[in-house]
Amino acid sequence: MPDWDLLITDANIATMRSGAGAYGAIENAALAIAAGRIAWVGPMTELPSRYAALTQSVHGRWLTPALIDCHTHLVFAGDRAREFEQRLNGASYEEIARAGGGIRSTVRATRSADKSLLIDSARPRIDALLQEGVATIEVKSGYGLDLDTEIAMLDAARTLGEQYDAEIFTTFLGAHSVPTEFDGRVDAYIDFVIADVLPAVREQGLADAVDAYCERIAFSAEQVARLFERAAALGMPVKLHADQLSDGGGAELAASFNALSADHLEYASADGVRALADAGTVAVLLPGPFLNLGETRAPPISMLREHGVPMAIATDCNPGTSPICSLRLAMNLATSLFRLTPEECLAGVTRNASRALGLADDRGTLEEGKRADFAEWDINHPRELTYWAGLNQLNSLTIAGKPTGPSRPG
């Protein structure tokens, strides 16, 4: 019997292990796979004498951990291209939302869609991510805002996860906005989500985490705290859309519940950043909506660095504020808009993105025992993955030890 299922040789490997030097790089390296896991990785000169069922040279190409998009809203119906034009003509996101557009517009379209439409409309967006080396995708609900549609969205995302090699993690975002039938009754809507929707989602096993939008146009810290207390009682981890448009204490709130991540954070305070550091909560940076909304206040990157808060990057793929289906583009934007380094960007879509989903022990770096999720690239150095936009250098994608996605000969 072979010791390994596959041995990849003649590789340059960016392991992205923390504390292992720039990019955790190992040149002239090899990687072995057994039962879908990494069984060995290191320099060719230290390769153990083991028998592999198949040995394959990659001729000096670079391997990195497969990419992880840890914040998306890619299951929905309709589009909001008209609102995109309105913003270009001077309307603010808040003005559009208060006039019945924004999230409510997508809610109307999504409520009228059936499961098959939700699945079919999401496929091109998932395909685009896979073609860039993404193997793990988080998908949020939040465009139903009622019991049936929230469940339908999560069920559609779970079904997509069964149909694709990429693994899809689902997040219940019932507290995304207040639906029209609850106008003027925000507390009543939160009560409904807590008492009716969240327990049903939990009972059906449709969500891996609970999220909320803590913002002046959505829900207060006090209202979100009630939801998170219920999530904690049900044993569900939490995430938070925090401090995007104003400092509403979102970062502190996320930290107080030991949230997996706090996302956006443009207006996070110094106290909020310190709280995230103390809690070990990941800061998920979203340059897509920052760009599309024409924002001018960037997240407090220097403070996040100073306090050692891990920074992830995601597309925030959604029909309103971030119609972006390219994680590579999000990496590129993070350098120009937030001044992250290429190495921070690659860590942000691998090592730190896995932490944002509670998966740090399973993937996000290339080291023994972790799932064999890796991408093979036609590049001269990993920094090119952030440098280029619109050029796909992916040669192959392996998920759980099995080749998948696009592949070019050579």
Side-chain angles (χ1 to χ4, degrees):
M1 291 291 292
D3 300 297
W4 299 329
D5 299 321
L6 174 64
L7 173 63
I8 295 175
T9 62
D10 308 305
N12 293 307
I13 301 179
T15 68
M16 298 312 295
R17 288 175 52 220
S18 182
Y23 297 91
I26 308 173
E27 297 185 0
N28 190 24
L31 182 147
I33 300 169
R37 298 262 160 191
I38 298 172
W40 189 86
V41 61
M44 290 279 291
T45 55
E46 299 176 11
L47 183 61
S49 180
R50 302 281 179 85
Y51 173 57
L54 176 65
T55 298
Q56 174 184 333
S57 171
V58 294
H59 308 292
R61 294 193 186 96
W62 278 90
L63 304 184
T64 72
L67 308 187
I68 299 169
D69 196 348
C70 64
H71 181 132
T72 84
H73 305 252
L74 57 74
V75 170
F76 60 85
D79 71 74
R80 278 149 58 190
R82 180 173 177 272
E83 294 177 14
F84 174 67
E85 285 188 323
Q86 289 176 317
R87 290 200 305 273
L88 291 174
N89 288 325
S92 72
Y93 178 68
E94 291 186 51
E95 289 170 343
I96 292 170
R98 295 189 187 283
I103 293 169
R104 286 185 171 186
S105 173
T106 302
V107 168
R108 290 192 293 272
T110 303
R111 285 182 174 182
S112 66
D114 60 17
K115 178 181 173 180
S116 62
L117 176 59
L118 293 176
I119 290 172
D120 290 343
S121 63
R123 289 188 195 282
R125 298 185 277 272
I126 295 176
D127 290 339
L129 291 173
L130 274 166
Q131 289 162 12
E132 288 193 338
V134 176
T136 304
I137 305 168
E138 185 258 17
V139 177
K140 303 179 190 295
S141 65
Y143 292 131
L145 309 183
D146 60 15
L147 177 61
D148 291 342
T149 316
E150 286 293 302
I151 286 177
M153 290 185 69
L154 293 167
D155 187 33
R158 290 286 206 216
T159 300
L160 286 161
E162 295 168 358
Q163 296 175 353
Y164 279 86
D165 293 317
E167 190 163 6
I168 292 178
F169 285 78
T170 54
T171 299
F172 171 60
L173 182 57
H176 195 193
S177 183
V178 180
T180 55
E181 62 268 28
F182 281 90
D183 272 343
R185 299 185 298 128
V186 182
D187 283 323
Y189 177 66
I190 285 291
D191 290 340
F192 164 68
V193 171
I194 291 171
D196 294 1
V197 189
L198 180 57
V201 167
R202 176 60 170 166
E203 182 179 352
Q204 296 183 42
L206 290 174
D208 301 297
V210 175
D211 198 347
Y213 189 20
C214 185
E215 191 53 73
R216 59 195 176 196
I217 60 172
F219 303 96
S220 69
E222 292 77 17
Q223 290 162 339
V224 172
R226 289 200 288 124
L227 172 63
F228 282 4
E229 287 166 1
R230 180 59 172 151
L234 292 172
M236 303 180 72
V238 299
K239 304 164 68 69
L240 186 65
H241 287 59
D243 303 329
Q244 179 187 11
L245 305 174
S246 62
D247 179 9
E252 295 95 322
L253 175 65
S256 72
F257 282 92
N258 294 308
L260 292 172
S261 71
D263 305 26
H264 290 291
L265 296 174
E266 281 86 339
Y267 285 83
S269 67
D271 288 343
V273 171
R274 284 190 289 269
L276 295 177
D278 291 342
T281 297
V282 176
V284 177
L285 308 178
L286 303 170
F290 183 90
L291 173 71
N292 280 279
L293 292 176
E295 297 295 325
T296 57
R297 177 163 171 161
I301 303 299
S302 295
M303 281 197 294
L304 292 169
R305 285 180 181 139
E306 177 186 352
H307 292 281
V309 178
M311 294 181 287
I313 298 168
T315 62
D316 194 14
C317 175
N318 75 72
T321 62
S322 190
I324 292 176
C325 299
S326 169
L327 191 54
R328 291 278 306 279
L329 176 59
M331 294 165 66
N332 180 275
L333 291 174
T335 62
S336 58
L337 298 177
F338 299 158
R339 311 308 298 173
L340 266 65
T341 68
E343 185 175 2
E344 286 175 324
C345 289
L346 188 53
V349 298
T350 56
R351 182 177 71 236
N352 294 337
S354 70
R355 289 186 59 173
L357 296 179
L359 299 172
D361 292 336
D362 188 61
R363 66 198 72 179
T365 60
L366 299 181
E367 51 189 315
E368 291 181 19
K370 292 200 173 180
R371 202 168 85 146
D373 288 4
F374 57 89
E376 177 188 333
W377 307 96
D378 285 319
I379 55 177
N380 295 311
H381 192 277
R383 66 173 67 95
E384 294 181 36
L385 298 176
T386 300
Y387 171 66
W388 287 104
L391 176 64
N392 190 356
Q393 300 126 307
L394 182 69
N395 188 72
S396 66
L397 175 64
T398 296
I399 301 176
K402 297 180 180 179
T404 186
S407 179
R408 296 198 296 268

